[in-house]
Amino acid sequence: MTSQLVNLVFDSALPRDLAGFWEGLFGWDAPFELAFRSEAGPKQGKNRLHLDLASRSPGHQAELVDRALSLGARHIDVGQGPPEEKRVPWVVLADPEGNEFCVLEPREQYEGTGAIASVVIDALDPERLARFWAAALGWEIGVREESIVGLRPPDGRGPWVEFLASQDDKLRRNRLRFEIAPRRGGSRAAEVRRLRALGAPGQGSARHGSVAMVDPEGNEFSVLTPR
């Protein structure tokens, strides 16, 4: 038995306002939810998880960028250069609390994903991390390239989960993280044991109706009760 992806959680200083930004940017139709939880600490450094937004055409991409900027996003440079130089075909922005996201140019790979093309996770070893999460969620590896390994949802609906090669060590708690749950009829305790056998270190600590764990590279996630 495998887990299902239930939520992508954002830690936020003003969760209601941040939820309003993302709700205003697109209508959400994915098989998991975006959840915004109160966290007083300020964002420090670049996030290890970010969203890639899908677009249908160059005009739609420009429309998404303009809408994001009107809602409080801003352009940021994470190494791709300033937007006026157009070194890359995607646009890198930050939401009102500084969380990085990309608005992609149209790509055939993401047709049918909905508003979000993928959840991208920086990884020291993309192959290893992709194998862990593929086994955890029961998803298949759909893309395997030199710098990125991508997991495709088994039913073809919703965003991919992709692991992007990075040389940056994880230094702090992630502000974005997954919440997963055993499928109906499963056991949370049994699922925690299975995830540990797959390579999640530590025992996991129970709190607030969930078990907090980390994946093989230390990315935090929680295991909820079956849905």
Side-chain angles (χ1 to χ4, degrees):
M1 186 170 289
T2 59
S3 283
Q4 57 184 330
L5 181 54
V6 177
N7 295 318
L8 176 63
V9 176
F10 287 65
D11 283 346
S12 172
L14 298 169
R16 188 178 298 275
D17 291 350
L18 192 59
F21 167 83
W22 287 101
E23 183 180 20
L25 186 53
F26 53 73
W28 186 238
D29 57 358
F32 62 90
E33 301 291 334
L34 301 184
F36 301 86
R37 307 278 170 79
S38 180
E39 170 58 52
K43 179 178 182 289
Q44 299 179 15
K46 177 180 174 291
N47 288 339
R48 292 189 76 78
L49 279 72
H50 74 267
L51 299 180
D52 279 353
L53 274 55
S55 68
R56 300 185 298 271
S57 66
H60 183 227
Q61 181 189 26
E63 177 187 331
L64 285 173
V65 171
D66 288 345
R67 188 186 310 162
L69 294 173
S70 72
L71 291 168
R74 66 182 188 278
H75 288 280
I76 58 168
D77 186 353
V78 295
Q80 86 283 1
E84 62 270 15
E85 294 186 5
K86 297 183 178 179
R87 298 180 191 172
V88 296
W90 60 88
V91 179
V92 184
L93 301 173
D95 71 17
E97 292 199 9
N99 299 302
E100 302 86 0
F101 66 99
C102 297
V103 182
L104 302 181
E105 76 285 2
R107 298 186 190 181
E108 183 178 355
Q109 175 183 338
Y110 302 125
E111 289 182 2
T113 62
I116 296 181
S118 63
V119 181
V120 182
I121 303 172
D122 289 352
L124 298 174
D125 187 341
E127 179 72 26
R128 179 190 182 205
L129 212 51
R131 287 184 181 276
F132 170 82
W133 282 103
L137 299 174
W139 292 22
E140 296 182 355
I141 293 179
V143 167
R144 182 182 276 109
E145 298 177 356
E146 182 177 355
S147 62
I148 195 165
V149 181
L151 303 184
R152 181 188 182 98
D155 60 1
R157 293 184 58 245
W160 290 55
V161 175
E162 298 178 329
F163 303 90
L164 179 65
S166 172
Q167 296 181 350
D168 296 332
D169 292 326
K170 184 177 184 297
L171 301 176
R172 57 188 66 87
R173 174 182 169 85
N174 290 339
R175 291 182 70 84
L176 279 68
R177 60 190 181 278
F178 289 145
E179 288 184 334
I180 65 176
R183 299 184 186 277
R184 187 178 301 274
S187 159
R188 188 179 68 184
E191 185 62 8
V192 168
R193 290 193 296 270
R194 188 182 74 90
L195 293 166
R196 288 179 57 211
L198 290 173
Q203 298 287 333
S205 57
R207 59 180 182 182
H208 306 303
S210 65
V211 176
M213 303 186 72
V214 295
D215 70 17
E217 290 199 5
N219 298 300
E220 298 84 3
F221 68 96
S222 296
V223 184
L224 310 180
T225 54
R227 297 298 176 96

